[in-house]
Every structure is written in structure tokens, then in C-alpha cells.
Amino acid sequence: MRRCEMISVGAGPAGLAAATEAARNGVEVLVFDENDRPGGQLFKQIHKFFGSEEHHAKERGFDIGYGFLEEAEKLGVEVSLSSVVMGIYENRTMNVLIRDRIEQVRAEKILVATGASENMIPFPGWTLPGIIGAGAAQTIANIHGIKPGENLLMVGSGNVGLVVAYQMLQAGCQVSAIIDAAPRIGGYEVHAAKVARYGVPFFMSHTITEAGGEKWIESATISQVDKEWKPIPGTEKKFELDTVCIAVGLNPMTQLLDMLSCKMVPVPSLGGRVPAHDLGQETSIPGIYVAGDSSGIEEASTAIIEGRIAGLAIAHSLGYIDDSSFLEQRDRQFKSMVGLRSGSHGEARKIAKEYINAVMKG
Amino acid sequence: MSKGMSETGYLSDEELDNGPGIPSEGRRRRGPVAVLECIQDIPCNPCEASCPEGAIQVGEDITNLPHLLEEKCIGCQSCLPVCPGQAIFLVDESSTEDVSRVTMPYEFLPLPEKEETVIALDRAGQELGDTTVIRVRKTDKMDHTALVTIEVPKEWSMRTRAFKLKR
């Protein structure tokens, strides 16, 4: 059985930030990712990021991804791709399916940075081909360079829906409309303005009620909803189209943590059941850490900071950083997080994270 | 009051009038000036650092709205390509003719060519009419965000925020 000091499950923004931060402090790090390329969602993010300079603001997501990979290589971080962590067992032992063989590996510290999966909503016809997650549309267009469809409807006005709608326009698709059951746009208004000025209408307080088509989606019907989000008869609008993108939120991928019986907390504002964790991102199971969307849905810039905090905490607990240096470096990350978890979009996440930290304390 | 940006996706006239980043008509008539159409408390401040004149203030709390100090703005366009929300435009109403120039970020291909006729669009994507491309700029530093300047009738200068190609 192979042994190492730290394993990150996931090579997305949180996993890579943790791996590089820990490696910089001397920790021997191994990263597993089930995908055949690293970066998680970063390489699909062709838009410029928000935040401050320290958060890589105005850099495009894929450039941030390349930066991390370069740094990881320089620091000697081993990234093992096409490697599915099948389970984590007692004493931080895990089974990993690496292409066609299974390896057993044991680590002193494990970071679970497995990200999130997309929520779906059921409606008549929802299994027709052409109805896809907004993340899938991004993968098809931005990773594989293929237009997902000619004419699409975006369901959901959060940042994912808005950003992907804009990217679909860039790919040359028509976007018939962006709809949301909520009365107000969920994402950043400036992202909404980017699509509105090219003529994409917003239908707020609307939901998709039906998809029609024989072998592929050919039409979608939307209806206005009342205050209880129930469709109002007589308000139907029908669009002829070939694609519907669903962007109705994400939920944390916590299967590996569930297997370990990690303490979980239901927090709707963070996407569902999230693992309790302390200020150093350690879960209720000693030696098991969590960062990024798997610890509660936020965004890439917060995932990077959480990853760095976890990397520092791991380096500290392994004895690579002394107490004062650790606290000083961690404080710097906390300060960097303040701006990202404030304002009308961030405040709720700040409160939710404080609640999770409090649950962890007991 | 008309529906605001949080329902339609674009600024209403009231929101435009009250925005802390919108230059006065007097300032616009004196020459090119930045128009910061950012009215939501999101965490972001690259515009502030990009300004060589200190004409954009966000402050320590990065969710503050950017304030334009219109007398300090020299219309250099440095802030336009760095805004991740593509919410900054440059408006020049100084011409004695009945035309104004509007510069906007553009991230589509193909790029328009100088002197090409394109259709001006307002914030809601409504067609305003034909206009002429005056300048297209794209440098490495702008990181794939081109800046396109078009000439529009003066009364469209605070309405034109996009364009589409005729070809």
C-alpha cells in the first residue's frame, strides 16, 4: 500500500489551491481526479472573474487554472488523473480506481474537494434529448468546441444561468429567454445586463411546464407562477427550440464524507446537506478536511481561499508550520475572504458558514 | 416607477439617473468620460486599480459601488476591458456636430471593421438604427476583450450599449 502525507480528492480550484499551499510549506501531496484533465470547472470558465486582485479578479477562469497547474508542477505535486476515489475507509485508507487497476493508498490527511453536481427539475418531457444542465452546455461548448444547439432556453437566472447564457451567445446560439420562478434575477445584475443588451428577454416568476418533441426537444412551454410558485393557467408561452439548459442550483458532492459518517448539517443557502467543519476546514472526522463546493456551494474564488486555508491547516498539523506563522497566514486568508462573503450576494453565505463552524464546535 | 435591473436585466432610467458612476451631461459634453453602470453591491474592484488618475473610488470594502469622480476622468478607457461585468462604457458628446461616440467592450467574433455599418442596440437589445464603427482596439493587455467605438446620433449616446453586425 502506498502512503503519503496528504491526498486531495479533486483537482478543481479548492483541491489545487490546497495542494499548492501545502506543498509550498513542505508537505508531500498527491491529488486524484476522476476527470482526464485537471482544473475542475475552471477550464470551462472563459469569462473574467470578479473580486480583487488577490482573488485573481479580471483574470479568466482557464488562465487561473493554468496558473495553478504550473505552480503545482513546480512544487512537485503529483496529479493523478482518470482516478476515481471509490471509498475512504478507516485510518484514512482509500481505494482508487486508476484507469483499469485499483490501488490502495493511505494518507495522514485527506482533503475532500469533490465539488458539486447540478440540480434538475422534472416536468413533462424533461427526459427528451436536448434538455441538459447548464454545466453540460459549458462543457460541450467551451471544452469540446461544439455548439450545444441552435436555439435555447435558459432555466435559472443565477450566475451559472447568466454566465452560460452569455457564453452560448458567444458560441453563436440564439437564446430565446432566461426564465426563473423567483421574482428577481438571482445572479449579478451586470451579468444579466450582458445578455439583455443583445436582446435576450427575462421572464421572472416563470417556470418551465412542458417540453415537446418526438426524438429531440422541439418546443418548450413556460408559465407564470403565483406566490407559491404554482403555474397560473392561461399564462403559457411556447418557444420553438432545440435545447433547454437547466441552471437551478448545485448541490455538494458529499458521498465520500457520508461514507465516513461525517457530521452533516442541512443548510439550504449552501445547497443542501453540507459537512460540518471548523475554521481550518477540518470535518468531524479527524484528519479529513473539506473545501470548495463540497463544503457548501459558493464560487471558485471562495473555493480557492478555502483550499488555501485547508492546505495551511494540514501543513500546520503535520508540523511544517509553527503556530504563529500558521495563524498569521490563515488570518491573511480570512481577510481575503471577507469581501467575497459580504454584500447582498455574500452575506447569507457568511452567516451560513459561521453557523456550520458553530455546529462543529458543538 | 418602471421595473428595475433586478427584474429586466437592464438599468431603468431612474436607476441610471441615480447611479454613482454616471457622469453628468455637462461633463459628457466636455469630452470622453467613463460611464460606470454598476449599481449592485457585488465584491469587485479592478476598475479602481486600473484608473491612472484615481477617478474611480471603491474603497476598502470591495462590495461598495464604484463612484466616478468625473472631473478626474480623462477618458483613457483603461477601466473598460478590466470590468468583469462589462459594465463600463466611454461616452464622448463633445462634437459640435449632432453626433456622439460610444465605446464598449465586445467579446464576439468576428470583430467589426473600421467604417463598417452596424446596428446600434440599447440596454434591452432593441435596435436603434444604423451606425458607423470608428475604431476597433484589441491588445494583449485587454485579454480578449475588444473595445469598439461607434458614432451615433447625440440622443442615443446614453442609450447605445451594444451593436450587432449586419453581415
Side-chain angles (χ1 to χ4, degrees), chain A residues 50 159 162 185 187-197, chain B residues 5 9 37-40 42 44 83-88:
Chain A
F50 288 81
N159 275 335
L162 299 175
I185 290 168
Y188 294 168
E189 288 170 7
V190 284
H191 275 319
K194 279 162 58 180
V195 287
R197 68 176 69 116
Chain B
M5 198 173 186
E37 300 197 353
C38 180
I39 61 158
Q40 196 182 35
I42 57 177
C44 195
C83 174
Q86 294 181 30
I88 308 183

Side-chain angles (χ1 to χ4, degrees), chain A residues 257 261-265 267 274-290 352-362:
Chain A
L257 298 164
S261 301
C262 254
K263 187 172 182 178
M264 305 294 283
V265 197
V267 187
V274 299
H277 56 269
D278 67 12
L279 287 173
Q281 302 294 132
E282 192 168 9
T283 67
S284 62
I285 310 291
I288 307 289
Y289 295 71
V290 70
K353 279 284 177 177
E354 283 168 358
Y355 169 67
I356 288 170
N357 295 154
V359 169
M360 187 63 197
K361 271 191 193 161

